[in-house]
Amino acid sequence: MDIFEAMEKNNLNTGEFVETPLGVFTVNGNWFYTNSDEIQKFAPGLLTRVEFSELIRDAEVWVRSSDAMTIIFFMAILLLMPGYSAALLAVAFLLLWHLAKSAFVSAGATKFIRALTWDPLVILLAVASISYMGIEEQYTDVVYGLLFFILFRFGWLRKMFDSFYERYSKQISLNDRVLKMVVIKSAMSNNINVPELQRMESRIKELMRKRRGVRKR
């Protein structure tokens, strides 16, 4: 079965994401190697209290926070240092936040991150910063600002790193690490036990291997 056949057999298509036997693919191009059936096994009863779409939305807030937080950081330091230095620091910040963010997942933190990384706010900050540099005739910094805004805005650098991480790491994907924490925190807040955490990771790795096999065909 190739990926397109899998999507045709999806269990759920909300317009925000498509659920397939190999996982969930969102409209923003992010992949999670699990689905509602698997989460029901990992945390029995959770999906009767929290909608699956809500779990995916919360997880994607954290996934995309790597891009938005990096843009905010980059635009701030670009006003203080040369473009190449700001770009290098921003890439380092992106990788560190992307690797560590799952440790900060909680209901309250999700609301804060959702507000802080709201698309119109991030775009407004970027436009204001680049416009200011243009007014100040800092044209080299304007070029750096536009180039790296595009790279961060569409998650291209993050996704390149994800591909590298999935290929060479023996761990579950960084997206799934976030989703796992969202599931755990949601289960805890609803007094639901998550008895099969180890099985959850094993199943995610199995789906990752299956999808790699589909890609190679």
Side-chain angles (χ1 to χ4, degrees):
M1 178 187 296
D2 64 25
I3 191 63
F4 300 106
E5 291 172 337
M7 287 185 173
E8 288 175 1
K9 296 184 178 181
N10 68 78
N11 300 312
L12 181 62
N13 186 339
T14 67
E16 298 177 356
F17 63 86
V18 175
E19 182 182 357
T20 85
L22 298 179
V24 172
F25 185 71
T26 73
V27 70
N28 294 306
N30 297 309
W31 191 279
F32 299 94
Y33 293 94
T34 191
N35 52 45
S36 56
D37 289 340
E38 297 296 334
I39 288 178
Q40 182 59 34
K41 295 174 185 175
F42 304 146
L46 177 61
L47 296 185
T48 64
R49 303 188 186 184
V50 182
E51 291 185 2
F52 180 58
S53 59
E54 182 179 340
L55 297 175
I56 295 298
R57 280 196 296 269
D58 286 351
E60 191 163 47
V61 164
W62 284 95
V63 169
R64 299 189 69 205
S65 74
S66 297
D67 309 321
M69 294 279 284
T70 302
I71 290 173
I72 294 170
F73 175 77
F74 176 58
M75 291 302 167
I77 62 174
L78 188 57
L79 297 171
L80 304 174
M81 61 180 62
Y84 64 89
S85 299
L88 289 174
L89 283 176
V91 171
F93 176 88
L94 169 68
L95 300 183
L96 289 173
W97 177 254
H98 195 40
L99 286 167
K101 63 183 182 295
S102 59
F104 302 101
V105 173
S106 69
T110 299
K111 292 179 181 178
F112 173 75
I113 291 295
R114 179 180 281 113
L116 181 63
T117 61
W118 185 46
D119 271 352
L121 175 62
V122 173
I123 293 172
L124 178 62
L125 288 173
V127 170
S129 298
I130 292 172
S131 297
Y132 173 79
M133 288 182 286
I135 292 172
E136 293 295 310
E137 299 184 352
Q138 299 172 354
Y139 299 123
T140 301
D141 289 342
V142 169
V143 173
Y144 272 102
L146 288 172
L147 174 60
F148 280 87
F149 171 76
I150 293 171
L151 290 174
F152 295 136
R153 176 69 179 82
F154 296 104
W156 291 338
L157 291 179
R158 168 176 57 82
K159 290 173 183 177
M160 286 173 60
F161 179 71
D162 281 341
S163 296
F164 176 86
Y165 185 88
E166 288 182 25
R167 177 171 297 182
Y168 295 104
S169 171
K170 295 182 180 180
Q171 306 301 315
I172 63 174
S173 73
L174 295 173
N175 289 0
D176 285 288
R177 189 192 295 181
V178 167
L179 181 56
K180 184 183 78 170
M181 291 305 300
V182 168
V183 169
I184 292 171
K185 296 294 184 178
S186 296
M188 290 174 61
S189 66
N190 285 279
N191 297 314
I192 293 173
N193 290 325
V194 186
E196 298 192 64
L197 281 180
Q198 189 59 47
R199 181 187 174 280
M200 182 179 182
E201 291 204 10
S202 297
R203 179 58 177 159
I204 288 171
K205 289 178 182 178
E206 180 183 341
L207 291 174
M208 289 172 67
R209 288 192 295 270
K210 286 183 178 180
R211 184 167 179 248
R212 289 195 199 104
V214 167
R215 284 176 171 174
K216 291 177 181 178
R217 293 179 187 175

